[in-house]
Amino acid sequence: MTVYQATASAPVNIACIKYWGKRDTKLILPTNSSLSVTLDQDHLRSTTTSRCDASFEKDILWLNGKEEEIKPGGRLAVCIEELRRLRKEVEQKADEPKISDFRLHICSYNNFPTAAGLASSASGFAALVSSVAALYKLPATPSQLSLISRQGSGSACRSLFGGFVAWEMGEKADGTDSFAVEVAPRDHWPEMHALICVVSDDKKGTSSTSGMQRTVETSPLLQHRIKHVVPQRMSDIKKAILAKDFDTFAKITMQDSNQFHAVALDTDPPIFYMNDVSRTIIALIVELNRVSVAAGGKIKAAYTYDAGPNAVIYAPEGNLKEIINLIVSYFPQADTFKDPFKMFAAGQEEPGKLALPAGFNEAVAKKFEVGAVKGLIHTRVGDGPRVLDDSEGLLNASGLPKTLA
């Protein structure tokens, strides 16, 4: 008996030019284009196994071992139906098994906290779409698949590519020109690293979906951002990436993060995503860059914040040791720092114990207690979705999850 199954993993992406606001909430069409860096799946990923079978009675999704409802007409159902429609086209054109009418069992697992301000919906929907597309053997490009994943979660369209990715907002009412494109592959600028400072792994107070629509309805600053600011920044940051110009990349990334949070503050009533820990990390990065530039050097790091308090710090690989040491100096860690890139000499150097750069004004911030930053994840620019071997499948022989919560 043939088993129709495929497993895929997909990466997290963190935006440098932020997506905030929809012009069509059903199709998830954005009010502005956005741009992100795809992070390495060896550190952060969603993995999804999809199987279809004549014996399955309904579509079921298990997320991290818990069954989730697939609401008719909801985002998940829309993605599944669109993938089924494409499979039917394949079956009509070629001599392929008629599996598009079979129900699906889908099992997905994130190796990081869901809804912690790390974009789990982006990697999750990208993995789901990649997995079902592999199961259905769809002859679709990543950009074509991004049209589907976008309807699950807007930023998921950017997780269909590795490297540096733009989501072009498009103009058409039907959304057919609102998809992701690769600006540059990971191999173009592999020295781009990222340090994620996990400030909170709680669910956020205002969800992105409700927050951004309130902004669209009430913020005059958002209208200025959409019309006058983002188009130029998109053009400038693409040029900076292609030129591997970190100074320009960093300035635009920090400015756009600041403006996104200004727009959240300009919403009525205001939305606060950052907290005192977030703002302290900004002060530390600003001072690190000031000292470097004052000494005739370049900008060393760029902070960015999505809809939550977690910081993501982008920097060239050579600067990460100094950045990690700085963050741990002010935010001591309960657990030993996992040092995946062997930045610190084992047994000789300890993060947070090395000297800060000469001229660094230590009074820019107060030092926090252990636990203010719950964890640090050092990662780098990564590749796009991967189709995995059957041995990595998440479903057992009967089509149920191998592990339940």
Side-chain angles (χ1 to χ4, degrees):
M1 196 179 104
T2 312
V3 174
Y4 298 106
Q5 176 172 303
T7 300
S9 67
V12 168
N13 74 76
I14 301 289
C16 301
I17 305 289
K18 304 297 187 189
Y19 148 57
W20 195 252
K22 301 183 185 84
R23 58 189 169 90
D24 183 314
T25 53
K26 180 80 182 81
L27 291 173
I28 309 195
L29 301 179
T31 51
N32 61 268
S33 297
S34 55
L35 185 141
S36 58
V37 181
T38 298
L39 300 181
D40 195 335
Q41 290 173 77
D42 291 345
H43 307 126
L44 297 166
R45 68 185 170 278
S46 296
T47 305
T48 303
T49 297
S50 307
R51 186 187 302 183
C52 62
D53 193 273
S55 70
F56 294 165
E57 292 174 4
K58 61 172 185 173
D59 293 332
I60 305 178
L61 168 74
W62 293 270
L63 175 58
N64 293 329
K66 280 193 198 142
E67 189 176 332
E68 299 271 322
E69 187 187 357
I70 301 176
K71 296 189 181 92
R75 293 176 176 194
L76 201 55
V78 166
C79 288
I80 291 170
E81 285 316 307
E82 189 58 22
L83 290 158
R84 275 207 175 101
R85 184 184 69 74
L86 293 175
R87 172 66 192 184
K88 279 198 167 71
E89 287 180 9
V90 169
E91 291 169 357
Q92 283 158 7
K93 287 178 191 160
D95 184 25
E96 286 285 340
K98 304 287 187 280
I99 60 173
S100 57
D101 291 330
F102 294 173
R103 298 297 97 188
L104 285 161
H105 282 194
I106 302 168
C107 185
S108 190
Y109 178 76
N110 301 324
N111 72 342
F112 54 91
T114 306
L118 291 180
S120 57
S121 60
S123 55
F125 274 103
L128 182 138
V129 168
S130 299
S131 167
V132 178
L135 166 69
Y136 283 166
K137 297 189 167 69
L138 300 181
T141 64
S143 284
Q144 288 166 329
L145 291 179
S146 80
L147 288 165
I148 302 173
S149 62
R150 185 203 75 223
Q151 295 176 65
S153 169
S155 53
C157 73
R158 298 190 308 250
S159 279
L160 264 295
F161 287 95
F164 303 83
V165 188
W167 173 11
E168 303 296 357
M169 65 180 281
E171 292 170 1
K172 294 179 182 173
D174 66 359
T176 51
D177 60 349
S178 182
F179 52 77
V181 294
E182 183 186 82
V183 174
R186 75 181 292 185
D187 300 342
H188 167 71
W189 203 357
E191 302 81 14
M192 180 68 79
H193 278 229
L195 183 70
I196 302 171
C197 305
V198 182
V199 174
S200 165
D201 53 7
D202 301 330
K203 280 214 170 193
K204 48 198 175 200
T206 305
S207 81
S208 303
T209 303
S210 62
M212 67 174 72
Q213 284 323 102
R214 229 164 68 206
T215 304
V216 169
E217 288 156 15
T218 63
S219 167
L221 182 57
L222 181 73
Q223 300 309 316
H224 174 74
R225 169 175 168 73
I226 291 164
K227 294 184 185 85
H228 303 290
V229 180
V230 172
Q232 188 62 49
R233 279 189 185 157
M234 282 293 291
S235 169
D236 291 347
I237 201 167
K238 284 178 187 173
K239 286 179 194 150
I241 289 164
L242 293 173
K244 297 197 260 194
D245 170 2
F246 184 75
D247 262 47
T248 304
F249 171 91
K251 282 176 189 162
I252 295 171
T253 295
M254 291 188 282
Q255 286 166 354
D256 209 72
S257 177
N258 295 344
Q259 190 176 74
F260 157 52
H261 289 276
V263 160
L265 197 60
D266 192 47
T267 303
D268 188 20
I271 305 170
F272 305 96
Y273 283 121
M274 294 200 287
N275 59 23
D276 287 348
V277 173
S278 314
R279 287 184 283 271
T280 297
I281 293 170
I282 290 178
L284 295 175
I285 296 304
V286 168
E287 178 63 8
L288 180 70
N289 288 335
R290 183 198 68 75
V291 171
S292 177
V293 172
K298 292 181 173 289
I299 290 177
K300 292 211 156 170
Y303 59 78
T304 186
Y305 294 80
D306 284 336
N310 296 335
V312 176
I313 301 167
Y314 284 121
E317 182 177 9
N319 298 350
L320 260 290
K321 182 176 181 178
E322 188 171 44
I323 293 163
I324 294 161
N325 181 63
L326 173 62
I327 296 296
V328 178
S329 296
Y330 282 82
F331 298 101
Q333 297 295 294
D335 300 317
T336 306
F337 172 64
K338 290 185 179 72
D339 191 8
F341 298 98
K342 304 289 180 271
M343 293 276 153
F344 297 87
Q348 294 165 31
E349 296 178 317
E350 195 181 326
K353 297 286 198 293
L354 307 182
L356 298 182
F360 189 95
N361 176 10
E362 295 190 29
V364 293
K366 71 177 180 73
K367 300 198 172 181
F368 280 70
E369 298 290 319
V370 173
V373 169
K374 295 200 167 103
L376 297 170
I377 301 166
H378 180 184
T379 184
R380 63 184 168 191
V381 61
D383 58 346
R386 305 169 182 171
V387 175
L388 305 177
D389 192 75
D390 273 349
S391 63
E392 298 190 64
L394 303 173
L395 295 168
N396 64 21
S398 55
L400 298 172
K402 289 178 180 173
T403 50
L404 286 166

